[in-house]
């Protein structure tokens, strides 16, 4: 999880640099390339997953909801700073386009000091000691055997669950309506006014 987030941050910094230098290069194609790179970035779902996995169980819902809050706050700040009086002027719009690289840079610098998520270490890497060390670093000293047992139960459940590829998921009749609903909700979320809220 952490390595993937770091790679995504590098992608965002490259995209921000491409967009920021588009005026100097006099190339609108650079803006298109940079926006495409931002669009294929997996920062948002990975961030939710990592924050949810490193949070203690009693704070997991709160931690996931705060990341959505900061995501919406970032969008609002982008819309505000895009006003002509701020960074939306002809001279400063490249700075506005490159501003998406700043949070990625902050995360790129600070994330290496955070441990890998305990569920990932235990379920995928099968590193029990690394999991315990990560839990102590994240949640402090104490008795965390109950959380480790929960992760072990989840791992046992996953062994009995078949993981589908994207193509298999699309072809699976039992999940077709759920897939349609997810696609429609994701595609229309920008029309619901959540950014204004």
């Amino acid at each position: 999880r952490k390595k993937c987030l770091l790679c995504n941050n590098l992608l965002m910094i490259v995209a921000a640099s491409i967009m920021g230098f588009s005026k100097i290069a006099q190339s609108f194609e650079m803006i298109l390339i940079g926006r495409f790179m931002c669009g294929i970035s997996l920062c948002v779902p990975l961030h939710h997953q990592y924050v949810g996995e490193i949070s203690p169980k009693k704070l997991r819902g709160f931690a996931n909801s705060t990341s959505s809050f900061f995501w919406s706050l970032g969008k609002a700040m982008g819309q505000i700073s895009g006003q002509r009086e701020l960074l939306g002027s002809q001279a400063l719009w490249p700075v506005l386009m490159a501003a998406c690289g700043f949070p990625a840079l902050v995360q790129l610098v600070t994330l290496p000091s955070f441990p890998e998520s305990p569920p990932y270490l235990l379920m995928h890497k099968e590193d029990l000691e690394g999991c315990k060390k990560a839990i102590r670093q994240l949640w402090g000293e104490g008795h965390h055997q109950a959380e480790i047992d929960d992760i072990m139960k989840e791992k046992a459940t996953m062994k009995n669950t078949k993981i589908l590829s994207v193509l298999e998921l699309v072809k699976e009749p039992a999940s077709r309506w759920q897939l349609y609903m997810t696609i429609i909700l994701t595609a229309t979320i920008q029309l619901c006014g959540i950014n204004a809220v």
Side-chain angles (χ1 to χ4, degrees), residues 74-114:
K75 289 173 97 174
M77 286 175 57
Q79 290 173 350
I80 292 167
S81 59
Q83 300 297 314
R84 280 198 185 99
E85 295 80 15
L86 298 173
L87 296 176
S89 66
Q90 190 161 353
L92 294 176
W93 68 261
V95 176
L96 179 65
M97 296 294 285
C100 66
F102 179 71
L105 182 64
V106 170
Q107 193 175 47
L108 189 67
V109 171
T110 58
L111 195 60
S113 63
F114 284 80

Side-chain angles (χ1 to χ4, degrees), residues 36-81:
F36 178 75
M37 290 171 72
C38 288
I40 62 171
S41 168
L42 298 171
C43 286
V44 174
L46 279 173
H47 179 76
H48 281 284
Q49 187 174 19
Y50 182 71
V51 167
E53 288 182 357
I54 66 169
S55 303
K57 188 181 268 188
K58 61 184 177 186
L59 296 176
R60 201 163 288 157
F62 174 75
N64 277 327
S65 64
T66 55
S67 59
S68 296
F69 168 76
F70 283 111
W71 183 37
S72 297
L73 182 65
K75 289 173 97 174
M77 286 175 57
Q79 290 173 350
I80 292 167
S81 59

Side-chain angles (χ1 to χ4, degrees), residues 21-39:
F21 289 115
S22 62
K23 185 176 181 183
I24 294 170
Q26 296 181 346
S27 170
F28 72 91
E29 294 90 354
M30 289 174 71
I31 296 172
L32 297 175
I33 292 167
R35 290 301 298 155
F36 178 75
M37 290 171 72
C38 288

Side-chain angles (χ1 to χ4, degrees), residues 67-190:
S67 59
S68 296
F69 168 76
F70 283 111
W71 183 37
S72 297
L73 182 65
K75 289 173 97 174
M77 286 175 57
Q79 290 173 350
I80 292 167
S81 59
Q83 300 297 314
R84 280 198 185 99
E85 295 80 15
L86 298 173
L87 296 176
S89 66
Q90 190 161 353
L92 294 176
W93 68 261
V95 176
L96 179 65
M97 296 294 285
C100 66
F102 179 71
L105 182 64
V106 170
Q107 193 175 47
L108 189 67
V109 171
T110 58
L111 195 60
S113 63
F114 284 80
E116 187 58 80
S117 77
Y120 174 77
L121 288 171
L122 190 56
M123 293 168 60
H124 299 284
K125 295 287 187 178
E126 297 184 0
D127 182 7
L128 181 61
E129 286 307 311
C131 176
K132 288 179 180 178
K133 184 179 175 188
I135 286 174
R136 281 193 302 272
Q137 186 178 349
L138 288 165
W139 306 340
E141 294 296 330
H143 189 67
H144 301 294
Q145 190 58 42
E147 287 86 357
I148 293 171
D149 290 341
D150 285 345
I151 296 170
M152 293 298 280
K153 286 178 192 171
E154 187 177 343
K155 181 179 178 181
T157 304
M158 283 184 64
K159 280 186 179 177
N160 300 327
T161 305
K162 183 185 175 199
I163 307 257
L164 299 175
S165 69
V166 175
L167 190 58
E168 289 172 334
L169 180 66
V170 171
K171 291 180 178 179
E172 179 65 38
S175 61
R176 191 164 290 147
W177 284 107
Q178 293 91 332
L179 185 64
Y180 291 159
M181 188 175 291
T182 302
I183 290 170
I184 290 169
L185 285 172
T186 304
T188 58
I189 197 157
Q190 297 301 321

Side-chain angles (χ1 to χ4, degrees), residues 2-12 43 108:
K2 193 168 92 167
K3 287 179 186 174
C4 199
L5 273 170
L6 290 170
C7 290
N8 269 297
N9 287 326
L10 288 173
L11 180 70
M12 289 298 290
C43 286
L108 189 67

